[in-house]
Amino acid sequence: MEENKDKKENNEKKEKKEVQAKAILIGDSFVGKTSLIRVATGEDFNDMMKRTLAASCTEKKIKIGSLNYSVNLWDTAGQELYSKLNGIFYKSSDIVILVYDVTKQESFNNLEKWIQNLEENTNSEAKYVWGVVGNKKDLFEDQIITEKMGMDFAKSKEMKFKMVSAKTDPLSFNKFLEELVKDAKDNLLNKKENISLKNYNKKLKDKCKC
């Protein structure tokens, strides 16, 4: 009985120490959203990925400092730019990552429309940490959108920016995702489902007088 009680208490502590987060990737079809999520969660890159027809969710565990994060990465369909269905998946997002293909001008031009689409389908008081990702940097011979163009766009929107390649440099996207999670820390700890964690950490801090 005592052993089961201790196990239960340890499991409860573990749950309290895991911060829940929702990150959503949005952008045109075939910019590589699915591939980025695959490599971020330890799967191999697949050149034969098909178009995403519905939103899907994949969990990624991230540890930053003393906190463990459970990040739900949402992959959205990109073929309907103004789809009201996307509004359902935008709800309760903490991190929004805009993705474009550095070899496709239209995918870059449409970033403004994706921002508008999200804002029209979410609460005006919603708080997000934004990021902009230029994917497929390995296709340098076909590159149309320069790194400076991506940086200038992100800067004009006060967003973080990173050029990556899901195929040849998955580590860059992983590091960028960690940066965004770190930036979202305060918002995350104030979310209803994470309040217990915030109080738990405060109690630990109050007990420690060193």
Side-chain angles (χ1 to χ4, degrees):
M1 285 286 291
E2 191 67 31
E3 185 179 347
N4 290 337
K5 184 180 178 182
D6 290 341
K7 188 179 291 186
K8 183 179 179 182
E9 288 177 352
N10 287 335
N11 287 336
E12 287 176 351
K13 287 182 179 180
K14 185 178 180 181
E15 288 174 3
K16 286 181 179 179
K17 292 166 72 176
E18 189 169 82
V19 185
Q20 302 297 314
K22 179 179 178 180
I24 188 165
L25 279 68
I26 59 176
D28 287 3
S29 295
F30 301 116
V31 295
K33 301 186 296 295
T34 304
S35 293
L36 288 169
I37 290 175
R38 280 178 60 88
V39 298
T41 53
E43 294 189 56
D44 293 332
F45 178 83
N46 184 355
D47 270 314
M48 305 302 291
M49 291 299 300
K50 295 180 180 179
R51 181 198 297 265
T52 300
L53 299 178
S56 62
C57 176
T58 307
E59 184 185 35
K60 178 177 174 61
K61 302 287 189 180
I62 296 176
K63 182 174 177 61
I64 301 176
S66 61
L67 293 177
N68 295 308
Y69 294 85
S70 173
V71 183
N72 290 319
L73 294 168
W74 283 82
D75 182 11
T76 58
Q79 68 270 28
E80 288 189 60
L81 199 55
Y82 301 104
S83 173
K84 291 294 181 182
L85 186 62
N86 282 334
I88 299 172
F89 303 111
Y90 293 157
K91 188 178 180 182
S92 302
S93 296
D94 306 296
I95 298 166
V96 179
I97 303 174
L98 295 162
V99 185
Y100 68 91
D101 180 340
V102 299
T103 70
K104 294 182 180 178
Q105 181 72 48
E106 186 178 12
S107 72
F108 182 71
N109 295 344
N110 282 339
L111 293 182
E112 287 277 10
K113 295 176 182 178
W114 280 108
I115 295 172
Q116 183 180 351
N117 183 234
L118 183 140
E119 291 178 342
E120 288 176 351
N121 286 284
T122 54
N123 190 314
S124 59
E125 297 179 357
K127 295 180 179 180
Y128 308 110
V129 168
W130 290 83
V132 182
V133 167
N135 191 29
K136 306 185 185 180
K137 71 174 185 179
D138 55 292
L139 303 177
F140 54 89
E141 291 184 356
D142 300 316
Q143 184 177 340
I144 297 173
I145 312 303
T146 65
E147 185 169 13
K148 185 179 186 306
M149 291 167 68
M151 289 178 68
D152 288 347
F153 175 84
K155 186 177 180 181
S156 71
K157 302 294 181 182
E158 299 183 339
M159 301 175 182
K160 282 193 171 180
F161 169 76
K162 190 72 176 179
M163 269 183 63
V164 305
S165 168
K167 184 175 183 177
T168 63
D169 186 23
L171 187 60
S172 288
F173 180 69
N174 273 295
K175 287 184 176 180
F176 186 63
L177 180 60
E178 288 185 15
E179 287 180 28
L180 296 177
V181 171
K182 192 182 296 185
D183 289 347
K185 177 183 174 182
D186 290 342
N187 290 343
L188 292 173
L189 292 179
N190 283 310
K191 285 186 72 173
K192 184 178 179 180
E193 58 265 43
N194 289 323
I195 291 296
S196 60
L197 168 70
K198 186 178 180 181
N199 293 335
Y200 177 72
N201 285 342
K202 185 177 185 301
K203 287 178 182 178
L204 289 179
K205 186 176 180 181
D206 291 343
K207 284 182 181 179
C208 181
K209 303 300 180 184
C210 55

